[in-house]
Each structure stands twice: as structure tokens, then as C-alpha cells.
Amino acid sequence: MSAPHVSLPDPTHLPNLPRLPPADPSTSPVTGWTRAHWEAVADRLLDALMPYASPGLAQYRLPGRPSHSGPWSDGLEGFARSFLLAAFRIAGSGGRQTPGLIERYAAGLASGTDPRSPDHWPPVTDRSQPMVEAASVAIALHETRPWIWDRLDDRVRQRIADWLGGFLGAVVNDSNWRLFQVITEEFLASVGAPHSRAEIDAGLARLEDWYRGDGWYTDGDGRKFDYYNAWALHLYPVLWARIAGPRADPLLVAGHRARLRTFLHDHQHFFGSDGAPVHQGRSLTYRFGTTAPLWAGVLADATPLPPGRTRRLASGALKHFAERGVPDERGLLTLGWYRPFLPVTQRYSGPASPYWASKAFLGLLLPADHPVWTAPEEPGPVETGDVRRALPAPGWLLHSTAADGIVRLVNHGSDRLPPPPAAPDDSPHYVRLAYSSATAPETPPAPHTGPDNHIALLAPDGTPTGRGRIHPLAAEGARAASWHRAELPGSGEGHRIETVSVVHGPWEVRVHRVDAPPGTPVREGGWAVADDTKPPLGRTGPGRALARRTDGLTSTIVGLHGWLDARAAVAHAVGANAYGHHSATPYLTLPAHPGGTHLLVTLVVLSADPKVTGDPEVNGEPERNGDRKKTNGDPERNGGRKTNGGRETNGDRETNGDPYARGSGTRIRVAVSGEVEIRFPDGTRERVP
């Protein structure tokens, strides 16, 4: 079974993409999409921009909230990012199918670099947004060299080189922006224009500083792990090598290729069976841009994936958004995820920012007879079996389930914070305990925060503590661990919360050791589920709560240990979630921490598999003698017996004064030493010291 996770239109009729070709089930038995579908989507996106073009075709002033750089820069962004898409379309067809695009972007280049033109571009200056856009222009010029650059008037070429040359000696943000300088100056070198080899080499050397092993980079100093690994830190070295050619150090190129190959072993696991990428990190409005490294791996001969799987993953992501209204009825990519939704954006996001998704069309550079376009599609990893994968470099743990096609990411390592002494700051897209391909974090207006996938101490006025800086401890096998310091407002004192997550199938057990003043309330939330059709159903019982959508996607939280007298509740919200207008989060609140270090053990489950989510109360099945019928093939019913100095508890009855939600099927035993033994519903056992 594969849950859609959001209300779907008729998948055979996508009104926002009116000229899609018929599906090809023989070549693409999973998605039905082929190269012709990619070309049709590219053409739709490019055609839809024309009503917003400036007179000289150098800017695209799209409707929407301007970025902090202002409309002038935003207009350049519209040109540069769509030029990237146009370049892949032009080069992919050998210039034969796209004469209109060639003329259009050649005219824009001439007008944008002419200081006398009313729609000329802002200059490339220190730390300015045009630095980002200059790199896209440089890539597009390189890939379309025979059709655009080589045919431009010498005066226009000189003006372009002068504009791109603003990078020389300029101050660049110390992050993935260093690669924009590398790309742009390497293009200048390729056309014999002034450039600095020292600046190119310094940018590439800085990338080495950020490598954390196993194919993972942090985006600048600190622990900044997200999709910038996909659409920047791995992608730009591949594109740089294409521009540099024989000027590139072959050993450096080989190293980049090896890292990309290693990264793709992990990256392929970030897509659900419905094509949705895991919803984590910033700039999520780039959407299917997450597929860029899949194509880059093929272009650079640096992929471990069979060609049919590469296309299945990439086409699955593009189709996922197409089925959910992307692009919109005008053919535009909006600031959001599915519908317009500004909480997934940043201050630098302008109306044309989503067109960095153009990088997803990199595969069009591969010839039509390449195996990546002709080989039969192969299922993605989530479709062939349950997966559990530890990623030590970012401090993550992935676990996915074939029954519902959901990928879950447990986060014990990425907080997007600069190194100390930078002050802690919470972003819901970085500091949650978990993310998935079927959900998004709650993002209510500041200063409010959702309870989802977070454990917090509560101040007297109910204000929750943040997670702040994450201190990773381990990510190996079935578990990942970290600690953070929870600071109660006004106290000036931090309290350590150490968490170990243990995963198996759809289940995650969190073992928390929580330090807090006596009497402090403690709150923990499960996953937020959301939909546009109606509010999710909420149910609570002793020590447990759940939120369920009409399609069966269910978020459950169960207090397994330490939640004595806990209050179970479901928080409902409107307009706070990228996945739907209505959202709901189950959570537990411990009324009073006993003081010192207190052990809390919690089960959280996100699943659309009826074998996992079945709940007699929700499904209308009556309770039998105060207990529910046992599921998952686990015959044991009796908990609460003393075992080796500890006690075994389960989800079926109240034991030793602690409430345990009936029907969870997950049992724990806490030894005198503090060791926690977990028994999952299928009998699998794990121990946490």
C-alpha cells in the first residue's frame, strides 16, 4: 500500500500541465513518465514566464512577496534561474527544438548587461544576491555555448564578462556561495576573460574543509546538513569540471566523483514511494530540485544506481508535485511546497526563487538514447523492502517501510547553527527530532511553536523550551543519540535532555533522560499530520494520543515509562503546515517533573499501514473486557512482572502506577541499572544502556 499523504486530483488529468504526452507503461512501469514528459513540463514552465518578462527580456518580475534583496534583484533571479532551465532544454535538443528560446535569452543577455537599458541587471558586489544568479548564468552560457555565446556580438560578450567579473576580489559568503565564485570565474577562464585562479582554488579548498565523510558536507562551518548537499555542494563540483575541462586537477575531480557516488547511496533513500522527498531543511520551495544529484551522478559517471532507478526516483518526484498542483494554474512555481506557503521560505526567497528547481532538468543534457532514458524503470529502495540506515556524518537515522512507502528521518545532528559562541536558535525545519516524506513540521506564526517531534520543559506560562544546539552522540545500527540544553525563560540555567532514538520498521522508541527542577511540566509531541480536506481525527486514552487523516495516515504517541499521570491531548491548527490547511499533533504532558534526572520512554509512530495503525476506538470496533484484541502476531498479553531487578511493561495495561496506552504492542523493561530493553511488536529486541 502507498498512501498519497495529501488530497490528489485525477492523476490522469493534470489541468496545470495541459500538453503532457500519454504515459508509457512499458518503459516506465512505475511512473509512466518519459523524457517527453520532462520536456513538456520544461516547456510549460518556460512559456508561462513570458507575461512577466521585461521589455528587453532581461528580467522576469513574477507576482508574490519580494525577497530582502528587492524587486530589481528578484527580476534578475527570474532570468538567471529560468535561463538554467532553458539551457538544459536547448542543449538537450541540440538547439533544434528551441529556436525561440535561443533568441529570447540571447536578447535578455544583451539587454541585462547594457547599463543604458531600462531593465539592466544589478551589479555583482560583495555578498550580494546577484552572485548566486551569476553562477546560473555562467552554467547556462557554458551548456549553450554553440547556440548562444558563440553567436553573440563581441560587445555583448564583453559586457557579460565584465558583469560576471564583479566576482574578482569580492567578498563571498562563506558557505555554498564559494562555489558560485568558482563556477563563474571558471567560465570566465574558459572564454579568455580576466579571472583569479587563486580564488577558484580557494573556493574548492574551502569545500574540502566542510567535508564530514561518507559523502556528506556541512554547508559552511557548524552542523548544517540539508538538501544543499544535493543541489549545491555535490552539484557544482560536477558542473565546474564540465566547464574547466583539462584545466581541472584530475585527482580533485576524481575525489568529487567518489564522494558523489557515496552520497547517492544515501540520497536514493530520501524519496517516498509517492515520489515525495523528505521534508527537512531550508529552501524547500526548490521542491524537485532534490533530484539534481541523481542526474549529476549519471553525467559524471559517478552513480551507483542503475539507470532505471535514477529515472524512477527523478520522475517520481517531478510527478509527485505535478499531481498536487505544481506548477499552479498559471504554469508558475510559487513560494511554497504544494500550494503557496511562505513558512517554507527564507528572507532571501523571492517570487522567482523556486526556479532553482530548474536543476532537476539536468538530465536533459543526456542524449535521448542514453540508458537513463531508455532502460525500464526500477523500483526505488522504499518500494522493495523496509530500510534502516544510519548516517553518522549528519547524525541522522533513516527508516522507511514498504507497506506505506513512507521515509522517516530521525535527527540527532543537524541544527543549522554556526559554531559557538553563536547563540542557539530554533528552526522547525532543523531542530525537530524527526522528519518524513509524508509530513511537514508545524510552522505557526512566531513566537508560537508546535509540539510536534519535540520534547520540551514548560515555563509557568506554558512557553516550551527550544532544542537549540544539538550535540550528537552516535548514529549507528538501529539507534541515534544526542543531547541538548533546555533553557527555561528567565532562569538563565540550562537543563540537559539526552535522547536515544531506536527505530524498527515504522516504530521509533525515544529514551529520554531529562534533567529539570522539581514540579516542571514536560511535554513531548509526535508527528503532525495535515490535509486540505478536513481536520484530522484526534483520539486520546491513558498515556496515549493519536491523530488520523481520512486516508489512514496516523500519528501516534504512547508513554511507555515515566509518564505517570500524563495528560494526553491532540493539538489542532489551521494554516500552520505545508502539507495541508488542517493539521493535528498528538502529544503528552507530564504535569510535574520529580527533579533530578528522570527517565521518560516514549513510542512514536507514523504509518499508513492498517496493520500498524489499527485502533478499535477509531475504527468503531468495541473494546473487549477492557483490553483490545492483540495484533501483529504477538501472543504475550501480561506485563508488569518483576524481571532481573527491573519491570516489564507493555502497551496493554497499567503497570506499577504508570499509564501505558493499550494496543501499542511495544514493551519495555527498565533494569535497576537504568538499562532499557525494548521489545517491538514483531518480537525484535533492542537495549539502551
Side-chain angles (χ1 to χ4, degrees):
M1 183 188 120
S2 178
H5 314 317
V6 73
S7 303
L8 288 180
D10 177 4
T12 64
H13 176 63
L14 301 177
N16 297 350
L17 295 169
R19 294 190 295 275
L20 284 181
D24 182 352
S26 59
T27 304
S28 300
V30 184
T31 69
W33 280 33
T34 64
R35 181 186 178 97
H37 289 80
W38 282 83
E39 291 173 340
V41 175
D43 291 345
R44 170 65 166 152
L45 292 173
L46 290 165
D47 291 346
L49 293 172
M50 281 306 294
Y52 307 97
S54 62
L57 302 176
Q59 297 193 30
Y60 292 93
R61 298 286 184 94
L62 301 181
R65 183 202 69 183
S67 74
H68 70 88
S69 298
W72 190 20
S73 176
D74 294 346
L76 163 63
E77 188 172 66
F79 177 91
R81 299 189 180 197
S82 65
F83 185 25
L84 202 58
L85 176 58
F88 299 151
R89 185 72 176 97
I90 292 166
S93 70
R96 292 182 297 274
Q97 301 174 18
T98 53
L101 285 178
I102 294 171
E103 295 169 0
R104 173 174 153 191
Y105 281 91
L109 288 161
S111 180
T113 56
D114 184 352
R116 298 166 300 177
S117 170
D119 56 355
H120 68 279
W121 298 335
V124 175
T125 56
D126 290 352
R127 300 179 186 269
S128 64
Q129 185 64 31
M131 287 183 163
V132 185
E133 312 320 321
S136 291
V137 170
I139 294 165
L141 284 169
H142 172 76
E143 298 297 346
T144 60
R145 190 179 300 245
W147 305 284
I148 294 182
W149 177 264
D150 289 349
R151 299 179 183 178
L152 289 173
D153 182 274
D154 286 344
R155 291 171 298 176
V156 175
R157 285 198 293 236
Q158 184 61 55
R159 292 204 306 264
I160 294 171
D162 291 344
W163 183 78
L164 295 174
F167 261 113
L168 289 169
V171 178
V172 182
N173 289 330
D174 197 29
S175 64
N176 67 88
W177 282 44
R178 298 293 292 268
L179 297 178
F180 305 151
Q181 184 173 42
V182 167
I183 287 282
T184 304
E185 295 199 35
E186 194 64 66
F187 174 76
L188 290 172
S190 76
V191 297
H195 63 282
S196 168
R197 182 57 54 186
E199 289 179 345
I200 294 172
D201 291 344
L204 293 168
R206 195 69 177 108
L207 183 66
E208 298 302 300
D209 296 338
W210 300 327
Y211 188 61
R212 296 294 181 263
D214 299 325
W216 286 91
Y217 295 96
T218 175
D219 185 13
D221 294 333
R223 298 193 59 82
K224 305 172 184 178
F225 300 101
D226 53 28
Y227 283 121
Y228 275 82
N229 271 270
W231 51 50
L233 298 166
H234 277 291
L235 179 62
Y236 285 112
V238 169
L239 298 176
W240 163 74
R242 287 173 65 85
I243 298 171
R247 293 185 302 277
D249 179 347
L251 291 178
L252 186 60
V253 172
H256 292 157
R257 291 173 62 247
R259 291 175 183 177
L260 174 57
R261 182 181 295 273
T262 301
F263 173 71
L264 290 174
H265 276 292
D266 291 340
H267 190 62
Q268 65 175 320
H269 294 283
F270 278 71
F271 299 89
S273 64
D274 64 350
V278 170
H279 194 94
Q280 181 271 342
R282 66 190 176 99
S283 300
L284 288 170
T285 194
Y286 303 158
R287 298 176 173 100
F288 41 81
T290 53
T291 66
L294 299 171
W295 300 117
V298 181
L299 280 168
D301 190 23
T303 180
L305 310 184
R309 187 185 305 166
T310 292
R311 190 173 80 257
R312 182 272 174 272
L313 293 173
S315 292
L318 184 63
K319 184 180 180 183
H320 174 85
F321 287 99
E323 290 178 336
R324 290 155 180 81
V326 179
D328 70 5
E329 67 281 358
R330 300 164 296 181
L332 300 180
L333 299 178
T334 59
L335 285 167
W337 184 245
Y338 300 134
R339 66 191 188 284
F341 190 73
L342 291 179
V344 301
T345 66
Q346 283 69 42
R347 290 180 61 246
Y348 57 74
S349 304
S353 293
Y355 287 82
W356 239 30
S358 297
K359 296 174 180 181
F361 293 81
L362 195 68
L364 294 180
L365 294 177
L366 295 159
D369 60 355
H370 191 284
V372 81
W373 290 118
T374 61
E377 281 184 340
E378 298 183 25
V382 70
E383 296 166 290
T384 57
D386 292 359
V387 174
R388 184 182 67 203
R389 191 173 184 88
L391 309 178
W396 287 346
L397 192 62
L398 286 174
H399 61 121
S400 62
T401 41
D404 54 17
I406 297 174
V407 180
R408 307 158 190 82
L409 184 158
V410 178
N411 175 32
H412 286 280
S414 183
D415 53 26
R416 183 90 200 137
L417 295 177
D425 182 33
D426 273 24
S427 164
H429 291 100
Y430 285 95
V431 298
R432 294 291 184 258
L433 284 162
Y435 300 91
S436 86
S437 62
T439 64
E442 292 285 83
T443 49
H448 306 288
T449 183
D452 54 298
N453 280 319
H454 180 52
I455 184 167
L457 308 181
L458 300 182
D461 65 356
T463 301
T465 57
R467 195 177 184 190
R469 191 173 301 279
I470 299 172
H471 302 269
L473 297 173
E476 182 179 7
R479 69 192 62 193
S482 66
W483 66 273
H484 72 277
R485 194 168 299 282
E487 297 185 8
L488 287 164
S491 71
E493 182 181 1
H495 302 277
R496 181 179 171 120
I497 299 179
E498 181 178 313
T499 300
V500 180
S501 293
V502 182
V503 302
H504 179 66
W507 302 288
E508 179 193 353
V509 171
R510 298 171 183 166
V511 179
H512 306 286
R513 290 180 169 87
V514 182
D515 174 68
T520 304
V522 182
R523 186 188 73 188
E524 182 174 9
W527 301 84
V529 295
D531 198 3
D532 283 324
T533 56
K534 61 186 297 187
L537 175 70
R539 291 288 190 187
T540 62
R544 63 108 168 91
L546 69 80
R548 174 172 292 173
R549 288 201 330 213
T550 55
D551 66 359
L553 182 66
T554 304
S555 168
T556 306
I557 186 167
V558 180
L560 295 178
H561 179 83
W563 292 96
L564 184 64
D565 299 326
R567 179 174 67 88
V570 177
H572 289 270
V574 173
N577 197 286
Y579 265 69
H581 186 63
H582 306 281
S583 55
T585 306
Y587 67 96
L588 302 175
T589 304
L590 181 70
H593 189 287
T597 299
H598 182 56
L599 176 66
L600 292 171
V601 183
T602 313
L603 171 70
V604 290
V605 185
L606 175 71
S607 181
D609 181 359
K611 294 180 181 179
V612 175
T613 64
D615 183 315
E617 279 191 8
V618 174
N619 294 335
E621 181 180 325
E623 291 188 39
R624 295 180 176 87
N625 301 321
D627 257 332
R628 295 194 175 94
K629 185 177 180 180
K630 194 71 182 175
T631 60
N632 295 315
D634 189 345
E636 291 191 32
R637 299 296 300 273
N638 299 317
R641 61 180 182 272
K642 291 283 186 180
T643 309
N644 297 326
R647 62 176 182 269
E648 182 174 314
T649 60
N650 62 39
D652 297 315
R653 62 177 58 189
E654 189 169 290
T655 307
N656 292 328
D658 273 349
Y660 302 95
R662 294 164 293 184
S664 78
T666 299
R667 300 171 176 174
I668 68 163
R669 182 177 65 84
V670 180
V672 171
S673 65
E675 179 185 75
V676 178
E677 181 182 87
I678 304 163
R679 180 176 177 180
F680 290 102
D682 65 356
T684 299
R685 296 176 185 264
E686 296 282 351
R687 288 181 172 83
V688 177

